[in-house]
Amino acid sequence: MRAVITGGAGFLGSHLCDKLLEHGWDVLCVDNLITGADQNIAHLAGNEHFRVQRHDVSSYIDVPGPVDYVLHFASPASPVDYLKFPIPTLKVGALGTHNSLGLALAKKAEFFLASTSECYGDPLVSPQPENYWGNVNPIGPRGVYDEAKRYAEAMTMAYHRAHGLDTHIVRIFNTYGPRMRLNDGRALPNFIYQALTGQPITVYGDGAQTRSFCYVTDLIEGIYRLMQSSEHEPVNIGNPQEITILEFAERVKALTGSKSAIEFKPLPQDDPKRRCPDITKAKRLLNWEPKVGLNEGLRLTLDYFQKQIERVPAGS
Ligand code: NAD
Ligand code: UDP
């Protein structure tokens, strides 16, 4: 089996490369490194089953030879990243998804879309089931990501219905673990970096907004099961253990033994107030549920970040 993974040099894409290689696949990673890093796949150099093509998938994707599966993971994912790259984010969600679907169709391959809980926007229903249509501000700053992903889902379903393409869509909820960028601006790397370096831990708003954090190995297992299922409509994969951002900051502080103060900063526009996956569908269809609790996952991630901080000089 040969897979093309767009965004394979990113945080999640690189773990997916590892997973498929472990299961005996050949993997071609296609990435333009806009938010990814060579370092995430450096351990795969020399593996004869792994290849890398540096390419922007918002332009036509040319892959010689047979392909069995196209997994489209390319997209800036952190709010700081997609606010910095609004147009590339819209393009990779729209044109990148179209090109990836076109590649799958041409190769008679299966297709898998990495979608997001952001499709639910600032949800009026919690926890969010897949049949909730969401509450998205299309013209707000986060719209560049949310609407790109909603378009990507629509385009994927259209290829399934119009061309009979075998497609799958995962709606990923906040996921964390080794290979997240220390400076990607998401709450988890920010809090860990701030706690480990004694800087104030920056909580946006009053910290009453919630998130539900899933450890990366759990997510990748859910994705692997969904890849092999016959489900075509979106499936939530995430950890339903919901926590307020203030409690989360306190948890990171306690686990690191940090003396950092907690500092409140303005809440970004359209920041979702609640986010928690309803995983009934994943449990029923995939017999999947997360296994790694927050404290255990945070300890594993802390080890990684500690080593990164030793490698990277403070402030860079
Ligand atoms: P990431 O930024 O670490 O990885 C994204 C990768 O895509 C990077 O390597 C980047 O260089 C690459 N990329 C972006 N635009 C590209 C383009 N035009 N052409 C080629 N490569 C391109 O982010 P991540 O957290 O690993 O997210 C991966 C996917 O999962 C994204 O599609 C994201 O929307 C989705 N997702 C992630 C989360 C999460 O919690 N991490 C949550 C929901 C959805
Ligand atoms: N957040 C925070 N401090 C930070 C970074 C983020 O309080 O330094 C908040 C952010 O406003 C949001 C939550 O933490 O309410 C999660 O943000 P993140 O960027 O991780 O991802 P999101 O879930 O919003 O996509």
Side-chain angles (χ1 to χ4, degrees):
M1 295 290 281
R2 182 173 186 234
V4 171
I5 304 182
T6 76
F11 162 47
L12 298 181
S14 63
H15 284 281
L16 189 59
C17 291
D18 289 346
K19 179 82 171 181
L20 296 191
L21 289 164
E22 272 163 34
H23 284 270
W25 292 57
D26 280 14
V27 174
L28 173 66
C29 158
V30 183
D31 202 302
N32 67 351
L33 297 183
I34 186 173
T35 56
D38 276 330
Q39 194 202 327
N40 290 336
I41 47 171
H43 61 289
L44 299 175
N47 183 332
E48 59 175 346
H49 298 286
F50 182 70
R51 294 276 178 280
V52 185
Q53 190 176 313
R54 190 151 176 182
H55 176 68
D56 179 345
V57 298
S58 297
S59 299
Y60 182 83
I61 310 166
D62 184 19
V63 175
V67 175
D68 301 292
Y69 223 123
V70 177
L71 299 113
H72 182 42
F73 276 65
S75 171
S78 137
V80 168
D81 285 343
Y82 60 70
L83 297 180
K84 186 170 162 199
F85 302 114
I87 294 168
T89 300
L90 279 160
K91 285 176 76 174
V92 76
L95 305 175
T97 303
H98 192 199
N99 291 330
S100 303
L101 281 160
L103 175 67
L105 186 65
K107 300 287 183 181
K108 299 188 173 50
E110 274 184 66
F111 179 82
F112 191 101
L113 174 68
S115 186
T116 169
S117 54
E118 281 285 319
C119 287
Y120 303 120
D122 186 5
L124 306 175
V125 170
S126 202
Q128 294 86 55
E130 290 84 350
N131 59 9
Y132 175 53
W133 290 353
N135 178 38
V136 171
N137 175 2
I139 57 162
R142 296 177 87 104
V144 299
Y145 181 66
D146 302 9
E147 294 297 3
K149 290 289 184 178
R150 287 164 69 98
Y151 174 94
E153 288 197 4
M155 186 58 110
T156 301
M157 290 309 296
Y159 264 65
H160 172 65
R161 294 190 181 111
H163 293 301
L165 195 70
D166 194 354
T167 59
H168 310 275
I169 300 174
V170 64
R171 289 195 184 136
I172 301 169
F173 283 66
N174 295 62
T175 300
Y176 68 100
R179 300 188 197 151
M180 285 186 101
R181 273 191 1 256
L182 259 181
N183 61 351
D184 84 0
R186 286 185 257 204
L188 189 139
N190 271 6
F191 290 178
I192 294 184
Y193 182 75
Q194 291 159 345
L196 289 177
T197 56
Q199 297 175 41
I201 299 180
T202 53
V203 168
Y204 301 159
D206 59 5
Q209 69 274 30
T210 68
R211 292 296 185 271
S212 310
F213 294 97
C214 184
Y215 190 65
V216 63
T217 51
D218 281 333
L219 176 90
I220 297 292
E221 177 60 29
I223 286 173
Y224 189 63
R225 291 187 190 196
L226 181 57
M227 275 176 69
Q228 292 162 95
S229 79
S230 53
E231 179 62 20
H232 302 298
E233 295 197 357
V235 178
N236 290 339
I237 299 283
N239 191 321
Q241 199 187 343
E242 191 177 5
I243 185 169
T244 70
I245 288 298
L246 182 55
E247 282 169 337
F248 183 58
E250 281 159 355
R251 182 82 66 101
V252 170
K253 191 174 157 172
L255 276 176
T256 51
S258 169
K259 297 201 173 22
S260 291
I262 290 185
E263 187 175 281
F264 293 91
K265 298 248 189 179
L267 189 67
Q269 190 186 332
D270 298 332
D271 197 287
K273 284 179 270 310
R274 290 196 71 180
R275 190 182 287 149
C276 179
D278 180 335
I279 58 165
T280 311
K281 190 172 175 184
K283 279 185 180 163
R284 177 171 46 83
L285 284 181
L286 312 175
N287 192 25
W288 175 89
E289 61 184 320
K291 293 195 165 52
V292 183
L294 188 55
N295 281 1
E296 184 189 352
L298 276 176
R299 277 196 201 93
L300 295 166
T301 310
L302 271 172
D303 282 351
Y304 173 81
F305 277 119
Q306 185 73 61
K307 290 192 188 104
Q308 293 295 302
I309 289 171
E310 285 158 15
R311 282 184 59 242
V312 182
S316 58

PDB file of all heavy atoms in Angstrom, residues 121-122 142 204 209 211 245 267-274:
ATOM      1  N   GLY A 121     -17.460  26.126  14.933  1.00  0.00           N
ATOM      2  CA  GLY A 121     -17.326  27.541  15.307  1.00  0.00           C
ATOM      3  C   GLY A 121     -17.395  27.720  16.818  1.00  0.00           C
ATOM      4  O   GLY A 121     -16.774  26.976  17.572  1.00  0.00           O
ATOM      5  N   ASP A 122     -18.155  28.735  17.225  1.00  0.00           N
ATOM      6  CA  ASP A 122     -18.394  28.974  18.657  1.00  0.00           C
ATOM      7  C   ASP A 122     -19.726  28.270  18.966  1.00  0.00           C
ATOM      8  O   ASP A 122     -20.802  28.854  18.808  1.00  0.00           O
ATOM      9  CB  ASP A 122     -18.491  30.492  18.895  1.00  0.00           C
ATOM     10  CG  ASP A 122     -18.584  30.820  20.374  1.00  0.00           C
ATOM     11  OD1 ASP A 122     -18.480  29.907  21.212  1.00  0.00           O
ATOM     12  OD2 ASP A 122     -18.779  32.012  20.695  1.00  0.00           O
ATOM     13  N   ARG A 142     -11.077  34.164  12.292  1.00  0.00           N
ATOM     14  CA  ARG A 142     -10.958  32.699  12.265  1.00  0.00           C
ATOM     15  C   ARG A 142     -11.660  32.091  11.055  1.00  0.00           C
ATOM     16  O   ARG A 142     -11.486  30.903  10.765  1.00  0.00           O
ATOM     17  CB  ARG A 142     -11.554  32.076  13.541  1.00  0.00           C
ATOM     18  CG  ARG A 142     -10.827  32.453  14.809  1.00  0.00           C
ATOM     19  CD  ARG A 142     -11.523  31.862  16.032  1.00  0.00           C
ATOM     20  NE  ARG A 142     -11.100  30.525  16.348  1.00  0.00           N
ATOM     21  CZ  ARG A 142     -10.281  30.201  17.343  1.00  0.00           C
ATOM     22  NH1 ARG A 142      -9.787  31.115  18.142  1.00  0.00           N
ATOM     23  NH2 ARG A 142      -9.954  28.951  17.572  1.00  0.00           N
ATOM     24  N   TYR A 204      -6.061  33.926  28.090  1.00  0.00           N
ATOM     25  CA  TYR A 204      -6.845  34.913  27.358  1.00  0.00           C
ATOM     26  C   TYR A 204      -8.269  34.949  27.905  1.00  0.00           C
ATOM     27  O   TYR A 204      -8.877  33.911  28.162  1.00  0.00           O
ATOM     28  CB  TYR A 204      -6.859  34.582  25.859  1.00  0.00           C
ATOM     29  CG  TYR A 204      -5.485  34.544  25.211  1.00  0.00           C
ATOM     30  CD1 TYR A 204      -5.270  33.864  24.018  1.00  0.00           C
ATOM     31  CD2 TYR A 204      -4.381  35.194  25.787  1.00  0.00           C
ATOM     32  CE1 TYR A 204      -4.011  33.827  23.412  1.00  0.00           C
ATOM     33  CE2 TYR A 204      -3.128  35.160  25.195  1.00  0.00           C
ATOM     34  CZ  TYR A 204      -2.947  34.475  24.014  1.00  0.00           C
ATOM     35  OH  TYR A 204      -1.702  34.433  23.418  1.00  0.00           O
ATOM     36  N   GLN A 209     -13.452  29.794  29.190  1.00  0.00           N
ATOM     37  CA  GLN A 209     -13.702  29.001  27.973  1.00  0.00           C
ATOM     38  C   GLN A 209     -13.088  27.613  28.160  1.00  0.00           C
ATOM     39  O   GLN A 209     -12.094  27.466  28.868  1.00  0.00           O
ATOM     40  CB  GLN A 209     -13.125  29.702  26.729  1.00  0.00           C
ATOM     41  CG  GLN A 209     -11.620  29.784  26.598  1.00  0.00           C
ATOM     42  CD  GLN A 209     -10.987  30.978  27.299  1.00  0.00           C
ATOM     43  OE1 GLN A 209     -11.484  31.456  28.298  1.00  0.00           O
ATOM     44  NE2 GLN A 209      -9.852  31.439  26.778  1.00  0.00           N
ATOM     45  N   ARG A 211     -11.731  23.700  26.618  1.00  0.00           N
ATOM     46  CA  ARG A 211     -11.214  22.884  25.524  1.00  0.00           C
ATOM     47  C   ARG A 211     -11.108  21.448  26.072  1.00  0.00           C
ATOM     48  O   ARG A 211     -11.168  21.226  27.273  1.00  0.00           O
ATOM     49  CB  ARG A 211      -9.818  23.351  25.069  1.00  0.00           C
ATOM     50  CG  ARG A 211      -9.800  24.727  24.381  1.00  0.00           C
ATOM     51  CD  ARG A 211     -10.568  24.767  23.080  1.00  0.00           C
ATOM     52  NE  ARG A 211     -10.437  26.055  22.394  1.00  0.00           N
ATOM     53  CZ  ARG A 211     -11.244  27.096  22.581  1.00  0.00           C
ATOM     54  NH1 ARG A 211     -12.243  27.034  23.453  1.00  0.00           N
ATOM     55  NH2 ARG A 211     -11.062  28.218  21.895  1.00  0.00           N
ATOM     56  N   ILE A 245      -9.773  26.805  30.444  1.00  0.00           N
ATOM     57  CA  ILE A 245      -8.390  27.194  30.110  1.00  0.00           C
ATOM     58  C   ILE A 245      -7.642  27.657  31.376  1.00  0.00           C
ATOM     59  O   ILE A 245      -6.451  27.391  31.529  1.00  0.00           O
ATOM     60  CB  ILE A 245      -8.398  28.257  28.990  1.00  0.00           C
ATOM     61  CG1 ILE A 245      -8.802  27.591  27.667  1.00  0.00           C
ATOM     62  CG2 ILE A 245      -7.063  28.962  28.850  1.00  0.00           C
ATOM     63  CD1 ILE A 245      -7.855  26.474  27.160  1.00  0.00           C
ATOM     64  N   LEU A 267      -9.237  38.410  25.247  1.00  0.00           N
ATOM     65  CA  LEU A 267      -9.708  37.223  24.530  1.00  0.00           C
ATOM     66  C   LEU A 267      -9.748  37.532  23.031  1.00  0.00           C
ATOM     67  O   LEU A 267     -10.342  38.537  22.622  1.00  0.00           O
ATOM     68  CB  LEU A 267     -11.118  36.862  25.021  1.00  0.00           C
ATOM     69  CG  LEU A 267     -11.686  35.528  24.552  1.00  0.00           C
ATOM     70  CD1 LEU A 267     -10.916  34.358  25.149  1.00  0.00           C
ATOM     71  CD2 LEU A 267     -13.169  35.423  24.937  1.00  0.00           C
ATOM     72  N   PRO A 268      -9.122  36.686  22.188  1.00  0.00           N
ATOM     73  CA  PRO A 268      -9.197  36.941  20.745  1.00  0.00           C
ATOM     74  C   PRO A 268     -10.643  36.886  20.237  1.00  0.00           C
ATOM     75  O   PRO A 268     -11.488  36.198  20.827  1.00  0.00           O
ATOM     76  CB  PRO A 268      -8.379  35.784  20.142  1.00  0.00           C
ATOM     77  CG  PRO A 268      -7.541  35.263  21.254  1.00  0.00           C
ATOM     78  CD  PRO A 268      -8.308  35.512  22.518  1.00  0.00           C
ATOM     79  N   GLN A 269     -10.910  37.606  19.135  1.00  0.00           N
ATOM     80  CA  GLN A 269     -12.262  37.645  18.568  1.00  0.00           C
ATOM     81  C   GLN A 269     -12.749  36.245  18.172  1.00  0.00           C
ATOM     82  O   GLN A 269     -11.980  35.450  17.613  1.00  0.00           O
ATOM     83  CB  GLN A 269     -12.269  38.546  17.322  1.00  0.00           C
ATOM     84  CG  GLN A 269     -13.668  38.827  16.809  1.00  0.00           C
ATOM     85  CD  GLN A 269     -13.665  39.593  15.491  1.00  0.00           C
ATOM     86  OE1 GLN A 269     -12.732  40.339  15.207  1.00  0.00           O
ATOM     87  NE2 GLN A 269     -14.705  39.411  14.708  1.00  0.00           N
ATOM     88  N   ASP A 270     -14.017  35.977  18.469  1.00  0.00           N
ATOM     89  CA  ASP A 270     -14.698  34.717  18.078  1.00  0.00           C
ATOM     90  C   ASP A 270     -14.076  33.473  18.706  1.00  0.00           C
ATOM     91  O   ASP A 270     -14.248  32.359  18.186  1.00  0.00           O
ATOM     92  CB  ASP A 270     -14.737  34.544  16.540  1.00  0.00           C
ATOM     93  CG  ASP A 270     -15.513  35.658  15.853  1.00  0.00           C
ATOM     94  OD1 ASP A 270     -16.423  36.214  16.482  1.00  0.00           O
ATOM     95  OD2 ASP A 270     -15.191  35.972  14.689  1.00  0.00           O
ATOM     96  N   ASP A 271     -13.339  33.641  19.792  1.00  0.00           N
ATOM     97  CA  ASP A 271     -12.741  32.484  20.479  1.00  0.00           C
ATOM     98  C   ASP A 271     -13.893  31.609  21.011  1.00  0.00           C
ATOM     99  O   ASP A 271     -14.730  32.081  21.773  1.00  0.00           O
ATOM    100  CB  ASP A 271     -11.897  33.015  21.646  1.00  0.00           C
ATOM    101  CG  ASP A 271     -10.914  31.996  22.173  1.00  0.00           C
ATOM    102  OD1 ASP A 271     -11.348  31.044  22.834  1.00  0.00           O
ATOM    103  OD2 ASP A 271      -9.711  32.174  21.937  1.00  0.00           O
ATOM    104  N   PRO A 272     -13.949  30.327  20.593  1.00  0.00           N
ATOM    105  CA  PRO A 272     -15.075  29.485  21.038  1.00  0.00           C
ATOM    106  C   PRO A 272     -15.130  29.368  22.565  1.00  0.00           C
ATOM    107  O   PRO A 272     -14.097  29.185  23.218  1.00  0.00           O
ATOM    108  CB  PRO A 272     -14.773  28.129  20.396  1.00  0.00           C
ATOM    109  CG  PRO A 272     -13.919  28.450  19.211  1.00  0.00           C
ATOM    110  CD  PRO A 272     -13.091  29.631  19.630  1.00  0.00           C
ATOM    111  N   LYS A 273     -16.350  29.474  23.110  1.00  0.00           N
ATOM    112  CA  LYS A 273     -16.502  29.431  24.577  1.00  0.00           C
ATOM    113  C   LYS A 273     -16.449  28.007  25.114  1.00  0.00           C
ATOM    114  O   LYS A 273     -16.014  27.771  26.220  1.00  0.00           O
ATOM    115  CB  LYS A 273     -17.819  30.105  24.986  1.00  0.00           C
ATOM    116  CG  LYS A 273     -17.722  31.635  24.906  1.00  0.00           C
ATOM    117  CD  LYS A 273     -19.006  32.317  25.291  1.00  0.00           C
ATOM    118  CE  LYS A 273     -19.951  32.553  24.135  1.00  0.00           C
ATOM    119  NZ  LYS A 273     -19.389  33.192  22.919  1.00  0.00           N
ATOM    120  N   ARG A 274     -16.950  27.072  24.326  1.00  0.00           N
ATOM    121  CA  ARG A 274     -16.910  25.677  24.773  1.00  0.00           C
ATOM    122  C   ARG A 274     -16.474  24.796  23.615  1.00  0.00           C
ATOM    123  O   ARG A 274     -16.839  25.032  22.470  1.00  0.00           O
ATOM    124  CB  ARG A 274     -18.293  25.209  25.240  1.00  0.00           C
ATOM    125  CG  ARG A 274     -18.710  25.858  26.518  1.00  0.00           C
ATOM    126  CD  ARG A 274     -19.869  25.115  27.139  1.00  0.00           C
ATOM    127  NE  ARG A 274     -19.488  23.811  27.669  1.00  0.00           N
ATOM    128  CZ  ARG A 274     -20.358  22.988  28.267  1.00  0.00           C
ATOM    129  NH1 ARG A 274     -21.619  23.324  28.401  1.00  0.00           N
ATOM    130  NH2 ARG A 274     -19.943  21.820  28.747  1.00  0.00           N
TER     131      ARG A 274
END
